[in-house]
Amino acid sequence: MQQTRAKDYSIFTILLVLAIAFLSPIFIVLMNSFKGKFYISDTPFLFPNGTTFVGLKNYTSGIAKIDFFSAFGMSLFITVCSVAVIVLFTSMTAWYITRVKSKFTNLMYYAFVFSMIVPFQMVMFTMTKTANVLHLDNPIGIILIYLGFGSGLSVFMFSGFVKSIPLEVEEAVMIDGCNPPQAFFKVVLPILKPIAVTVAILNVMWVWNDFLLPDLLIGTEYKTIPIAIQYLKGGYGSIDMGAMMAMLVLAIVPIIIFYLTCQKYIIEGVVAGAVKG
């Protein structure tokens, strides 16, 4: 009994230390977002006091400098549309290649799996040129690019979950008169809700925080939040650290709220897709 308690305390201590290690950078950014920009470099780990505290000045100046709400709207549009497209099309693809057994579907599955291990840096130049030729270097086109890059992991996760769904369920609704698309949208897709939310969370965190792909494709014409924050850098390497810290806080708040709202589905979806598949 004592050994079990000691083991539990040890695990709790390790997890507590890891939680503090992972959360401390966010806390430091939040703390420094209320300091004057000249004090952040000198006292980055100290709480704001009467001298260093500037209230919401960093937030108001940062919002004005980078046109934050415009960048927020662009990031929201690209993220929501990209994730919706990824979840819809990859779930249908996973269902098809899982239920239809052929050499073609096996090849498709391994192609998606292989795409997961290809580093983005290997294809970014050819991708940029191709997107330019096909006129995909705009907010609509980048959604299709995100679909391509996000499909590998998404199809892999959906495929594992689809294998856990009894085939008899789909056969029953087809006997009742449903065609395959109706069977998918009325029966299969609702069952896929846990893994769909998991896939959505993973892709939301990726697309929302992504800097390189929007920078390569849409550049400064359509600024997302990560790109807009870079404009707080001035000439000769000067950076408005106060405004940057404030904008980083505003950038991570929506993703934290979304994650906390949906996090109960993550373990359920990942375990079901990995173990049952």
Side-chain angles (χ1 to χ4, degrees):
M1 189 69 176
Q2 292 180 347
Q3 292 180 348
T4 303
R5 289 183 177 178
K7 183 178 179 180
D8 292 339
Y9 286 136
S10 299
I11 295 175
F12 174 78
T13 303
I14 293 173
L15 293 177
L16 180 63
V17 171
L18 290 175
I20 294 174
F22 285 120
L23 293 176
S24 57
I26 299 177
F27 178 75
I28 291 173
V29 171
L30 176 63
M31 183 175 62
N32 284 291
S33 68
F34 295 100
K35 293 182 184 178
K37 61 183 179 180
F38 299 109
Y39 300 99
I40 294 176
S41 299
D42 295 333
T43 58
F45 302 110
L46 298 181
F47 285 96
N49 53 40
T51 303
T52 62
F53 183 72
V54 294
L56 298 177
K57 180 180 178 181
N58 291 329
Y59 289 87
T60 55
S61 64
I63 289 173
K65 286 180 179 179
I66 68 172
D67 194 8
F68 176 82
F69 293 110
S70 176
F72 180 88
M74 182 58 62
S75 288
L76 185 65
F77 169 76
I78 292 176
T79 301
V80 171
C81 293
S82 298
V83 173
V85 168
I86 289 172
V87 171
L88 176 62
F89 284 98
T90 58
S91 61
M92 290 191 293
T93 301
W95 180 63
Y96 174 78
I97 65 178
T98 302
R99 293 297 188 234
V100 179
K101 298 296 184 180
S102 66
K103 293 182 179 180
F104 175 69
T105 55
N106 285 335
L107 180 63
M108 286 180 59
Y109 177 77
Y110 287 113
F112 282 114
V113 173
F114 176 75
S115 69
M116 296 168 53
I117 64 175
V118 178
F120 174 74
Q121 290 76 8
M122 288 183 61
V123 298
M124 64 180 184
F125 292 111
T126 53
M127 179 274 300
T128 304
K129 179 62 177 178
T130 303
N132 182 262
V133 171
L134 297 178
H135 302 289
L136 297 177
D137 47 353
N138 53 69
I140 302 297
I142 198 174
I143 295 172
L144 300 178
I145 302 298
Y146 274 123
L147 172 61
F149 282 106
S151 60
L153 178 61
S154 301
V155 168
F156 177 76
M157 296 180 68
F158 273 121
S159 296
F161 200 97
V162 170
K163 293 175 184 177
S164 69
I165 302 175
L167 186 58
E168 291 77 9
V169 175
E170 299 168 37
E171 292 175 343
V173 297
M174 289 185 182
I175 291 174
D176 290 338
C178 288
N179 55 38
Q182 290 175 328
F184 175 78
F185 286 105
K186 292 183 178 181
V187 177
V188 177
L189 191 57
I191 298 176
L192 293 177
K193 181 181 177 181
I195 192 65
V197 175
T198 302
V199 170
I201 292 173
L202 295 176
N203 283 288
V204 162
M205 291 190 293
W206 163 50
V207 177
W208 180 268
N209 295 311
D210 188 30
F211 172 81
L212 188 55
L213 193 55
D215 185 52
L216 290 172
L217 289 183
I218 58 180
T220 59
E221 186 176 358
Y222 307 98
K223 291 186 291 186
T224 59
I225 290 179
I227 294 177
I229 291 177
Q230 299 302 309
Y231 281 81
L232 292 172
K233 292 182 178 180
Y236 304 101
S238 62
I239 303 175
D240 188 345
M241 292 298 296
M244 179 171 286
M245 294 292 176
M247 294 304 98
L248 289 174
V249 171
L250 293 181
I252 64 178
V253 165
I255 205 71
I256 291 177
I257 294 175
F258 177 77
Y259 178 84
L260 293 177
T261 303
C262 304
Q263 58 88 25
K264 65 179 181 179
Y265 294 101
I266 292 182
I267 296 178
E268 179 183 355
V270 171
V271 171
V275 177
K276 293 183 182 179

